[in-house]
Amino acid sequence: MSVQIIEKSGKPEYAVIPYAEYQELLEMAQDACDIQDADVAMAELSAGEDESIPVAIAKRLVSGDEHPLKVWREYCGCTQGSLGAAAGIGKSYSVSVLYEF
């Protein structure tokens, strides 16, 4: 790794690296976060905390064909009216907000 250290008042202030190396470090950091998240999820599942999402729901969310709010609302068994009431807004407003995204 090639690093240029920029000092201020005799102390390191900035480290400058080539963009390609920055991208590689960023990817490694994201991978480390993903691994940590997976470890936490596995520990929770092992402890009996089942907060998993059904595969069918995950596929609907990932496909991007439907609005995520609609997918979650249907998964939770909420109607547009009940969701609007829970959010303190009317059904017609909740429908218009849904289609603004």
Side-chain angles (χ1 to χ4, degrees), residues 46-61:
S46 296
E49 298 178 33
D50 187 12
E51 292 281 338
S52 58
I53 301 169
V55 172
I57 299 301
K59 285 182 178 180
R60 287 176 65 190
L61 290 167

Side-chain angles (χ1 to χ4, degrees), residues 5-26:
I5 303 297
I6 299 172
E7 295 182 354
K8 182 177 181 182
S9 302
K11 295 183 179 182
E13 184 77 14
Y14 298 99
V16 181
I17 61 174
Y19 189 73
E21 291 181 23
Y22 163 76
Q23 290 286 17
E24 186 178 335
L25 287 172
L26 185 60

Side-chain angles (χ1 to χ4, degrees), residues 76-96:
C76 294
C78 294
T79 64
Q80 290 175 345
S82 66
L83 180 60
I89 57 176
K91 176 184 172 184
S92 61
Y93 182 74
S94 64
V95 172
S96 67

